[in-house]
Amino acid sequence: MGDPRKPRKSYEGPRHPWRRDILMYEMKLMGTYGLRNKRELWKAATIVRYYRHRARSLLAAPPEIREKEEKALLNRLIKLGLLKEGARLDDVLNLKIEDLLERRLQTIVYKKGLAKTLHEARQLIVHGHIAIGGRRVRSPGRIVTVDEEPLVDYYPFSPLKQRISQEAQA
């Protein structure tokens, strides 16, 4: 089993960490999506790499196995908002890191206008001012499903929510 205090890494870093083009691309993504460090970027890249690898293996699988697992994979990605309805297995191979970063809670809070900047969105989440369906969420890296997206709002008992409602009444 392994030591419970030393969990397995949930990401895989770049194979060549000092390539200039990769470093510039990573820094651009970090600024665009307000990430704290490259580990968050590498986690997103690992998730996208997993789904793309799974799609490649399904393309090579026998038809009876492929049929069932392809439907499950596509439904999962549609539910996450990474693919549109009616997508095919070939569309999974076109997934990019940006597609997954767009589904993070931090980005959605910013896009909904609950925060003025991505950095403010991160701070509001970490400080407990944001909720999904009335339940407080404190992790800015959470991937928000399509069903949860309309439920993202201020936490009902947050002083920030009360101040905004008072300003709206005045």
Side-chain angles (χ1 to χ4, degrees):
M1 257 179 79
D3 192 353
R5 289 173 294 182
K6 295 182 181 174
R8 182 179 301 143
K9 281 188 351 184
S10 59
Y11 63 92
E12 186 179 325
R15 291 188 182 116
H16 301 284
W18 302 114
R19 284 184 43 201
R20 183 179 181 87
D21 55 336
I22 292 175
L23 289 171
M24 297 304 288
Y25 178 66
E26 287 176 341
M27 289 305 292
K28 182 179 141 243
L29 286 179
M30 284 181 62
T32 305
Y33 292 100
L35 305 176
R36 186 182 59 156
N37 53 34
K38 288 191 180 178
R39 190 179 314 125
E40 292 182 337
L41 183 67
W42 295 339
K43 283 181 182 180
T46 302
I47 293 169
V48 170
R49 192 178 308 123
Y50 166 76
Y51 285 129
R52 292 179 66 198
H53 174 73
R54 201 160 151 208
R56 274 195 308 274
S57 65
L58 283 177
L59 285 171
E64 58 274 356
I65 296 173
R66 176 182 173 178
E67 205 174 293
K68 183 177 75 172
E69 292 188 20
E70 178 181 352
K71 188 181 286 187
L73 176 65
L74 290 176
N75 286 340
R76 175 73 180 149
L77 293 175
I78 290 168
K79 183 180 172 188
L80 287 175
L82 297 176
L83 295 178
K84 301 290 182 215
E85 198 69 42
R88 297 189 344 257
L89 201 56
D90 294 331
D91 298 331
V92 179
L93 299 176
N94 296 329
L95 281 179
K96 297 185 299 276
I97 301 171
E98 291 92 338
D99 298 330
L100 188 68
L101 292 175
E102 287 288 331
R103 301 302 307 167
R104 293 177 85 234
L105 180 60
Q106 179 179 356
T107 309
I108 289 177
V109 166
Y110 171 68
K111 298 261 175 156
K112 285 188 87 171
L114 300 175
K116 294 176 187 162
T117 65
L118 280 162
H119 300 289
E120 183 184 2
R122 181 179 196 91
Q123 189 172 22
L124 289 176
I125 295 165
V126 170
H127 290 198
H129 295 293
I130 301 296
I132 297 177
R135 295 190 67 186
R136 185 183 290 180
V137 179
R138 292 185 178 219
S139 87
R142 177 181 171 157
I143 305 301
V144 179
T145 64
V146 176
D147 300 335
E148 293 174 337
E149 190 171 357
L151 304 175
V152 174
D153 198 11
Y154 292 110
Y155 183 60
F157 303 110
S158 165
L160 188 65
K161 167 82 172 187
Q162 294 166 1
R163 190 182 78 207
I164 290 172
S165 63
Q166 288 173 355
E167 289 174 3
Q169 291 173 357

